[in-house]
Amino acid sequence: MSSYLAIKEIWRNRGRFLLFSLVIALVTTLVLFIAGLATGLADSNRQFIDKLEADLLVFQENVDLQSTSSRLELSKATAIRRIEGVADAGPIGFSAGTVVFTDGREPIDISLVGIDPGRPGDPAALEGQGLRLKRKNEAVIDSLLAGQSGLKVGDSFMVKTIQGTEEELYELKVAGITDERRYFFQPSVILSLDTWDKVRPQPSAPSKSAPIVANMIAVKLANPADHQQMALRITRQIDGIEVADKRTTILALPGYSAQQNTLNTQQAFTFLIGVLILGGFFQIQTLQKVAQIGVLKAIGSSSRTVALSVLFQIIFVTVLGVAIGGLGTLLLAMSFPAGVPIVFNGPSVMIALIGLLLIGPIGGLVSIRLALRIDPLTAIGLSS
């Protein structure tokens, strides 16, 4: 009976209910895009570190785990390898550069990453092969740069950096292509530390006698479950360093936590707006049909039937709006260029959709309570 009443009213006022479903669709689109933007920005910021095959990361002490400020001599990586419980350790250096094209295409800003081939930090090549110590001027590029530039294994490309006050161009050859590994929102070009030290921007002309200095050291443990104890052991045995796991390092990235907190707050406020809009709509709906509800109760309909009828309408409007919004979001996302940092992954989308489906019943609680409190005699004007 309750479903029959709900469907009958929805069909009679289909224009009104469809219009409100479209409002829910807009809320859905906004929530999903905020969720996708939060995931995309997080991935763009943390991707390289998140994909490192390492259990611990070592930084210079007193730099708040900032790779841009950390400076570590390569001898520290050698010392860390000698510690009992450490399987391997690889120094990693970060800097920035630009890939330039001779055919007039727009240059692409990149992150230049220096690694010790064969040690932690060296990514597996999906195409071609990894870096080799004896081969200079070879590079492994990530799939994002390969897609943006059209570079393939065996191709040569030019990287521009600043040496002193002059622009310098370096020719590199693509040895392999790895998976997407953005660092600070830019695609990565992975080089051996020797090549990286020659190519990276420097305040003055590079000196052949100057030692290579890395920004952090990736540590792989014999037993990853002992990472807390191993972090303490490494810190005690090596001076001037700070050790953290990957999660702690990611949270310390400049602006990462503030960025995610801002987007999560926006998403929470969007949910709240949806609850208020839905609650207000159905409260007005209920107030407009007080007399009809009174008649139903007067002829014997139970409060349960009336409440279930209102609840069915709320669920129908919410499900229809979420479905339209989800489909619209998918179509819009397909039209975005590859550089837009919006990523929809299963867990975040499911959480957003479940939250959106719950705002209907939550927002409609007021109207259901209002419908239950309607007195039939008062509603039809027979009460004194």
Side-chain angles (χ1 to χ4, degrees):
M1 180 64 178
S2 55
S3 60
Y4 172 79
L5 291 173
I7 293 171
K8 202 74 174 174
E9 184 177 1
I10 289 172
W11 181 251
R12 173 167 289 187
N13 300 290
R14 53 189 177 274
R16 182 191 303 174
F17 281 96
L18 178 61
L19 180 62
F20 198 67
S21 290
L22 293 177
V23 174
I24 298 298
L26 292 175
V27 174
T28 299
T29 301
L30 181 58
V31 168
L32 289 178
F33 270 121
I34 292 175
L37 184 61
T39 303
L41 289 174
D43 283 352
S44 299
N45 212 348
R46 62 184 277 176
Q47 201 171 61
F48 188 90
I49 292 176
D50 204 26
K51 291 185 176 182
L52 279 175
E53 292 186 2
D55 304 302
L56 295 172
L57 298 173
V58 177
F59 298 85
Q60 181 182 356
E61 66 178 348
N62 300 323
V63 297
D64 298 324
L65 306 180
Q66 302 299 311
S67 61
T68 52
S69 304
S70 176
R71 299 290 185 272
L72 294 170
E73 297 175 354
L74 301 190
S75 59
K76 290 192 182 295
T78 304
I80 291 172
R81 291 187 204 114
R82 298 195 186 104
I83 297 175
E84 183 181 356
V86 173
D88 201 357
I92 303 175
F94 298 102
S95 57
T98 304
V99 175
V100 295
F101 303 95
T102 57
D103 56 5
R105 283 182 289 167
E106 285 292 321
I108 301 174
D109 292 330
I110 57 169
S111 290
L112 291 169
V113 183
I115 56 95
D116 195 352
R119 297 199 180 277
D122 185 6
L126 302 179
E127 299 179 35
Q129 56 189 350
L131 299 174
R132 292 164 290 179
L133 286 171
K134 295 181 180 179
R135 295 293 185 93
K136 304 296 183 182
N137 298 333
E138 280 191 340
V140 170
I141 65 174
D142 74 354
S143 58
L144 178 62
L145 178 60
Q148 292 178 348
S149 63
L151 291 170
K152 298 180 177 60
V153 175
D155 290 348
S156 295
F157 64 102
M158 303 298 294
V159 169
K160 179 182 71 176
T161 59
I162 304 297
Q163 304 291 337
T165 58
E166 302 294 328
E167 292 184 353
E168 295 288 345
L169 293 176
Y170 298 91
E171 183 176 356
L172 301 172
K173 184 178 180 180
V174 180
I177 299 174
T178 187
D179 56 349
E180 188 175 306
R181 292 184 179 242
R182 281 181 285 190
Y183 186 70
F184 281 126
F185 304 96
Q186 296 174 347
S188 295
V189 172
I190 296 98
L191 309 167
S192 67
L193 277 169
D194 289 338
T195 305
W196 171 81
D197 191 56
K198 180 180 70 174
V199 174
R200 69 184 177 93
Q202 300 189 58
S204 59
S207 171
K208 293 183 179 181
S209 61
I212 298 175
V213 177
N215 297 110
M216 71 180 187
I217 298 171
V219 179
K220 195 170 182 62
L221 302 177
N223 183 7
D226 293 337
H227 66 276
Q228 292 182 340
Q229 293 82 354
M230 287 301 302
L232 291 173
R233 182 182 297 177
I234 294 170
T235 305
R236 288 173 185 151
Q237 295 191 25
I238 308 293
D239 294 330
I241 63 169
E242 188 173 358
V243 184
D245 58 22
K246 289 196 291 185
R247 175 173 172 76
T248 304
T249 301
I250 288 169
L251 292 175
L253 289 171
Y256 179 85
S257 296
Q259 178 191 88
Q260 293 302 299
N261 289 337
T262 300
L263 291 170
N264 290 334
T265 302
Q266 290 178 349
Q267 193 172 27
F269 271 108
T270 306
F271 276 120
L272 178 61
I273 291 169
V275 170
L276 294 176
I277 291 174
L278 203 61
F281 172 79
F282 278 103
Q283 187 174 7
I284 293 171
Q285 279 279 99
T286 304
L287 290 172
Q288 288 179 340
K289 56 183 182 181
V290 168
Q292 293 93 319
I293 294 174
V295 171
L296 285 173
K297 288 188 174 184
I299 64 176
S301 295
S302 65
S303 295
R304 180 175 177 273
T305 300
V306 173
L308 288 176
S309 174
V310 175
L311 181 61
F312 184 88
Q313 290 176 354
I314 293 171
I315 292 174
F316 177 84
V317 168
T318 305
V319 171
L320 180 61
V322 170
I324 295 173
L327 180 61
T329 302
L330 177 63
L331 295 176
L332 283 173
M334 292 172 61
S335 65
F336 284 172
V340 177
I342 292 182
V343 176
F344 298 105
N345 62 19
S348 63
V349 170
M350 286 302 299
I351 291 171
L353 290 178
I354 290 171
L356 288 163
L357 291 172
L358 288 176
I359 68 172
I362 293 172
L365 287 175
V366 174
S367 60
I368 292 174
R369 184 171 179 271
L370 183 62
L372 292 174
R373 295 180 62 185
I374 293 174
D375 179 74
L377 295 179
T378 304
I380 60 179
L382 296 181
S383 175
S384 58

PDB file of all heavy atoms in Angstrom, residues 10 21 278 282 308-322 357 360-361:
ATOM      1  N   ILE A  10       4.376  10.284  -6.995  1.00  0.00           N
ATOM      2  CA  ILE A  10       5.540  10.618  -7.822  1.00  0.00           C
ATOM      3  C   ILE A  10       5.123  10.799  -9.274  1.00  0.00           C
ATOM      4  O   ILE A  10       5.556  11.741  -9.952  1.00  0.00           O
ATOM      5  CB  ILE A  10       6.612   9.520  -7.694  1.00  0.00           C
ATOM      6  CG1 ILE A  10       7.266   9.557  -6.302  1.00  0.00           C
ATOM      7  CG2 ILE A  10       7.696   9.688  -8.772  1.00  0.00           C
ATOM      8  CD1 ILE A  10       8.187   8.398  -6.026  1.00  0.00           C
ATOM      9  N   SER A  21      15.379  15.600  -8.297  1.00  0.00           N
ATOM     10  CA  SER A  21      16.404  14.581  -8.573  1.00  0.00           C
ATOM     11  C   SER A  21      17.595  15.206  -9.281  1.00  0.00           C
ATOM     12  O   SER A  21      18.745  14.818  -9.051  1.00  0.00           O
ATOM     13  CB  SER A  21      15.822  13.442  -9.413  1.00  0.00           C
ATOM     14  OG  SER A  21      14.919  12.669  -8.661  1.00  0.00           O
ATOM     15  N   LEU A 278      17.601  18.344   0.862  1.00  0.00           N
ATOM     16  CA  LEU A 278      16.641  17.246   0.805  1.00  0.00           C
ATOM     17  C   LEU A 278      15.628  17.336   1.943  1.00  0.00           C
ATOM     18  O   LEU A 278      14.422  17.138   1.749  1.00  0.00           O
ATOM     19  CB  LEU A 278      17.381  15.912   0.876  1.00  0.00           C
ATOM     20  CG  LEU A 278      16.660  14.692   0.295  1.00  0.00           C
ATOM     21  CD1 LEU A 278      16.386  14.893  -1.181  1.00  0.00           C
ATOM     22  CD2 LEU A 278      17.482  13.440   0.500  1.00  0.00           C
ATOM     23  N   PHE A 282      11.429  17.883   1.314  1.00  0.00           N
ATOM     24  CA  PHE A 282      10.394  16.944   1.752  1.00  0.00           C
ATOM     25  C   PHE A 282       9.576  17.488   2.924  1.00  0.00           C
ATOM     26  O   PHE A 282       8.412  17.091   3.108  1.00  0.00           O
ATOM     27  CB  PHE A 282      11.022  15.592   2.101  1.00  0.00           C
ATOM     28  CG  PHE A 282      11.262  14.747   0.893  1.00  0.00           C
ATOM     29  CD1 PHE A 282      12.528  14.616   0.359  1.00  0.00           C
ATOM     30  CD2 PHE A 282      10.216  14.104   0.254  1.00  0.00           C
ATOM     31  CE1 PHE A 282      12.749  13.855  -0.777  1.00  0.00           C
ATOM     32  CE2 PHE A 282      10.425  13.335  -0.878  1.00  0.00           C
ATOM     33  CZ  PHE A 282      11.687  13.209  -1.399  1.00  0.00           C
ATOM     34  N   LEU A 308       6.270   4.901   5.553  1.00  0.00           N
ATOM     35  CA  LEU A 308       6.946   4.134   4.506  1.00  0.00           C
ATOM     36  C   LEU A 308       6.744   4.765   3.130  1.00  0.00           C
ATOM     37  O   LEU A 308       7.624   4.710   2.275  1.00  0.00           O
ATOM     38  CB  LEU A 308       6.448   2.692   4.499  1.00  0.00           C
ATOM     39  CG  LEU A 308       6.900   1.817   5.674  1.00  0.00           C
ATOM     40  CD1 LEU A 308       6.253   0.437   5.598  1.00  0.00           C
ATOM     41  CD2 LEU A 308       8.422   1.684   5.677  1.00  0.00           C
ATOM     42  N   SER A 309       5.564   5.376   2.917  1.00  0.00           N
ATOM     43  CA  SER A 309       5.301   6.058   1.640  1.00  0.00           C
ATOM     44  C   SER A 309       6.255   7.241   1.453  1.00  0.00           C
ATOM     45  O   SER A 309       6.851   7.417   0.385  1.00  0.00           O
ATOM     46  CB  SER A 309       3.853   6.532   1.600  1.00  0.00           C
ATOM     47  OG  SER A 309       3.612   7.302   0.432  1.00  0.00           O
ATOM     48  N   VAL A 310       6.418   8.037   2.530  1.00  0.00           N
ATOM     49  CA  VAL A 310       7.346   9.178   2.456  1.00  0.00           C
ATOM     50  C   VAL A 310       8.774   8.683   2.269  1.00  0.00           C
ATOM     51  O   VAL A 310       9.541   9.229   1.460  1.00  0.00           O
ATOM     52  CB  VAL A 310       7.228  10.038   3.728  1.00  0.00           C
ATOM     53  CG1 VAL A 310       8.271  11.157   3.709  1.00  0.00           C
ATOM     54  CG2 VAL A 310       5.826  10.627   3.853  1.00  0.00           C
ATOM     55  N   LEU A 311       9.161   7.629   3.001  1.00  0.00           N
ATOM     56  CA  LEU A 311      10.515   7.087   2.895  1.00  0.00           C
ATOM     57  C   LEU A 311      10.795   6.558   1.489  1.00  0.00           C
ATOM     58  O   LEU A 311      11.898   6.751   0.947  1.00  0.00           O
ATOM     59  CB  LEU A 311      10.707   5.966   3.917  1.00  0.00           C
ATOM     60  CG  LEU A 311      12.096   5.312   3.959  1.00  0.00           C
ATOM     61  CD1 LEU A 311      13.161   6.340   4.314  1.00  0.00           C
ATOM     62  CD2 LEU A 311      12.112   4.160   4.947  1.00  0.00           C
ATOM     63  N   PHE A 312       9.794   5.898   0.878  1.00  0.00           N
ATOM     64  CA  PHE A 312       9.962   5.382  -0.487  1.00  0.00           C
ATOM     65  C   PHE A 312      10.217   6.531  -1.464  1.00  0.00           C
ATOM     66  O   PHE A 312      11.064   6.432  -2.351  1.00  0.00           O
ATOM     67  CB  PHE A 312       8.727   4.590  -0.901  1.00  0.00           C
ATOM     68  CG  PHE A 312       8.844   3.948  -2.253  1.00  0.00           C
ATOM     69  CD1 PHE A 312       9.389   2.678  -2.396  1.00  0.00           C
ATOM     70  CD2 PHE A 312       8.422   4.622  -3.405  1.00  0.00           C
ATOM     71  CE1 PHE A 312       9.506   2.091  -3.647  1.00  0.00           C
ATOM     72  CE2 PHE A 312       8.541   4.040  -4.653  1.00  0.00           C
ATOM     73  CZ  PHE A 312       9.089   2.768  -4.779  1.00  0.00           C
ATOM     74  N   GLN A 313       9.496   7.628  -1.295  1.00  0.00           N
ATOM     75  CA  GLN A 313       9.706   8.784  -2.173  1.00  0.00           C
ATOM     76  C   GLN A 313      11.116   9.355  -1.996  1.00  0.00           C
ATOM     77  O   GLN A 313      11.781   9.711  -2.979  1.00  0.00           O
ATOM     78  CB  GLN A 313       8.664   9.858  -1.868  1.00  0.00           C
ATOM     79  CG  GLN A 313       7.251   9.492  -2.282  1.00  0.00           C
ATOM     80  CD  GLN A 313       6.258  10.554  -1.867  1.00  0.00           C
ATOM     81  OE1 GLN A 313       6.602  11.511  -1.180  1.00  0.00           O
ATOM     82  NE2 GLN A 313       5.011  10.387  -2.291  1.00  0.00           N
ATOM     83  N   ILE A 314      11.546   9.437  -0.761  1.00  0.00           N
ATOM     84  CA  ILE A 314      12.885   9.968  -0.490  1.00  0.00           C
ATOM     85  C   ILE A 314      13.947   9.093  -1.154  1.00  0.00           C
ATOM     86  O   ILE A 314      14.868   9.590  -1.813  1.00  0.00           O
ATOM     87  CB  ILE A 314      13.132  10.047   1.026  1.00  0.00           C
ATOM     88  CG1 ILE A 314      12.207  11.093   1.650  1.00  0.00           C
ATOM     89  CG2 ILE A 314      14.591  10.382   1.333  1.00  0.00           C
ATOM     90  CD1 ILE A 314      12.215  11.085   3.174  1.00  0.00           C
ATOM     91  N   ILE A 315      13.822   7.769  -0.990  1.00  0.00           N
ATOM     92  CA  ILE A 315      14.806   6.844  -1.568  1.00  0.00           C
ATOM     93  C   ILE A 315      14.783   6.915  -3.091  1.00  0.00           C
ATOM     94  O   ILE A 315      15.831   6.937  -3.743  1.00  0.00           O
ATOM     95  CB  ILE A 315      14.529   5.407  -1.077  1.00  0.00           C
ATOM     96  CG1 ILE A 315      14.815   5.307   0.425  1.00  0.00           C
ATOM     97  CG2 ILE A 315      15.384   4.404  -1.848  1.00  0.00           C
ATOM     98  CD1 ILE A 315      14.434   3.981   1.027  1.00  0.00           C
ATOM     99  N   PHE A 316      13.581   7.002  -3.668  1.00  0.00           N
ATOM    100  CA  PHE A 316      13.462   7.056  -5.134  1.00  0.00           C
ATOM    101  C   PHE A 316      14.154   8.300  -5.684  1.00  0.00           C
ATOM    102  O   PHE A 316      14.940   8.225  -6.637  1.00  0.00           O
ATOM    103  CB  PHE A 316      11.986   7.045  -5.539  1.00  0.00           C
ATOM    104  CG  PHE A 316      11.771   7.181  -7.017  1.00  0.00           C
ATOM    105  CD1 PHE A 316      11.828   6.068  -7.847  1.00  0.00           C
ATOM    106  CD2 PHE A 316      11.534   8.419  -7.595  1.00  0.00           C
ATOM    107  CE1 PHE A 316      11.642   6.194  -9.217  1.00  0.00           C
ATOM    108  CE2 PHE A 316      11.344   8.558  -8.966  1.00  0.00           C
ATOM    109  CZ  PHE A 316      11.401   7.433  -9.780  1.00  0.00           C
ATOM    110  N   VAL A 317      13.856   9.453  -5.080  1.00  0.00           N
ATOM    111  CA  VAL A 317      14.443  10.714  -5.549  1.00  0.00           C
ATOM    112  C   VAL A 317      15.965  10.685  -5.395  1.00  0.00           C
ATOM    113  O   VAL A 317      16.704  11.102  -6.298  1.00  0.00           O
ATOM    114  CB  VAL A 317      13.841  11.904  -4.772  1.00  0.00           C
ATOM    115  CG1 VAL A 317      14.641  13.175  -5.019  1.00  0.00           C
ATOM    116  CG2 VAL A 317      12.404  12.117  -5.184  1.00  0.00           C
ATOM    117  N   THR A 318      16.441  10.145  -4.268  1.00  0.00           N
ATOM    118  CA  THR A 318      17.884  10.114  -4.017  1.00  0.00           C
ATOM    119  C   THR A 318      18.601   9.185  -4.984  1.00  0.00           C
ATOM    120  O   THR A 318      19.630   9.541  -5.567  1.00  0.00           O
ATOM    121  CB  THR A 318      18.164   9.668  -2.571  1.00  0.00           C
ATOM    122  OG1 THR A 318      17.461  10.526  -1.672  1.00  0.00           O
ATOM    123  CG2 THR A 318      19.642   9.735  -2.267  1.00  0.00           C
ATOM    124  N   VAL A 319      18.069   7.977  -5.172  1.00  0.00           N
ATOM    125  CA  VAL A 319      18.701   7.002  -6.071  1.00  0.00           C
ATOM    126  C   VAL A 319      18.719   7.523  -7.497  1.00  0.00           C
ATOM    127  O   VAL A 319      19.740   7.422  -8.201  1.00  0.00           O
ATOM    128  CB  VAL A 319      17.978   5.639  -5.994  1.00  0.00           C
ATOM    129  CG1 VAL A 319      18.480   4.705  -7.085  1.00  0.00           C
ATOM    130  CG2 VAL A 319      18.185   5.005  -4.629  1.00  0.00           C
ATOM    131  N   LEU A 320      17.603   8.105  -7.946  1.00  0.00           N
ATOM    132  CA  LEU A 320      17.550   8.643  -9.309  1.00  0.00           C
ATOM    133  C   LEU A 320      18.557   9.786  -9.475  1.00  0.00           C
ATOM    134  O   LEU A 320      19.291   9.847 -10.477  1.00  0.00           O
ATOM    135  CB  LEU A 320      16.136   9.136  -9.615  1.00  0.00           C
ATOM    136  CG  LEU A 320      15.932   9.743 -11.019  1.00  0.00           C
ATOM    137  CD1 LEU A 320      16.239   8.712 -12.104  1.00  0.00           C
ATOM    138  CD2 LEU A 320      14.508  10.282 -11.166  1.00  0.00           C
ATOM    139  N   GLY A 321      18.630  10.678  -8.492  1.00  0.00           N
ATOM    140  CA  GLY A 321      19.565  11.800  -8.575  1.00  0.00           C
ATOM    141  C   GLY A 321      21.010  11.347  -8.564  1.00  0.00           C
ATOM    142  O   GLY A 321      21.835  11.847  -9.339  1.00  0.00           O
ATOM    143  N   VAL A 322      21.339  10.377  -7.688  1.00  0.00           N
ATOM    144  CA  VAL A 322      22.711   9.870  -7.623  1.00  0.00           C
ATOM    145  C   VAL A 322      23.080   9.164  -8.930  1.00  0.00           C
ATOM    146  O   VAL A 322      24.215   9.300  -9.426  1.00  0.00           O
ATOM    147  CB  VAL A 322      22.877   8.930  -6.416  1.00  0.00           C
ATOM    148  CG1 VAL A 322      24.218   8.203  -6.470  1.00  0.00           C
ATOM    149  CG2 VAL A 322      22.764   9.712  -5.115  1.00  0.00           C
ATOM    150  N   LEU A 357      23.814   8.318  -0.946  1.00  0.00           N
ATOM    151  CA  LEU A 357      22.567   7.564  -0.806  1.00  0.00           C
ATOM    152  C   LEU A 357      21.995   7.677   0.603  1.00  0.00           C
ATOM    153  O   LEU A 357      20.773   7.543   0.791  1.00  0.00           O
ATOM    154  CB  LEU A 357      22.802   6.093  -1.160  1.00  0.00           C
ATOM    155  CG  LEU A 357      23.084   5.801  -2.642  1.00  0.00           C
ATOM    156  CD1 LEU A 357      23.481   4.344  -2.828  1.00  0.00           C
ATOM    157  CD2 LEU A 357      21.864   6.139  -3.507  1.00  0.00           C
ATOM    158  N   GLY A 360      19.646  11.053   1.727  1.00  0.00           N
ATOM    159  CA  GLY A 360      18.194  11.080   1.516  1.00  0.00           C
ATOM    160  C   GLY A 360      17.427  10.712   2.764  1.00  0.00           C
ATOM    161  O   GLY A 360      16.662  11.541   3.303  1.00  0.00           O
ATOM    162  N   PRO A 361      17.605   9.496   3.281  1.00  0.00           N
ATOM    163  CA  PRO A 361      16.894   9.138   4.514  1.00  0.00           C
ATOM    164  C   PRO A 361      17.219  10.052   5.695  1.00  0.00           C
ATOM    165  O   PRO A 361      16.336  10.375   6.487  1.00  0.00           O
ATOM    166  CB  PRO A 361      17.381   7.706   4.776  1.00  0.00           C
ATOM    167  CG  PRO A 361      17.741   7.179   3.429  1.00  0.00           C
ATOM    168  CD  PRO A 361      18.303   8.356   2.694  1.00  0.00           C
TER     169      PRO A 361
END
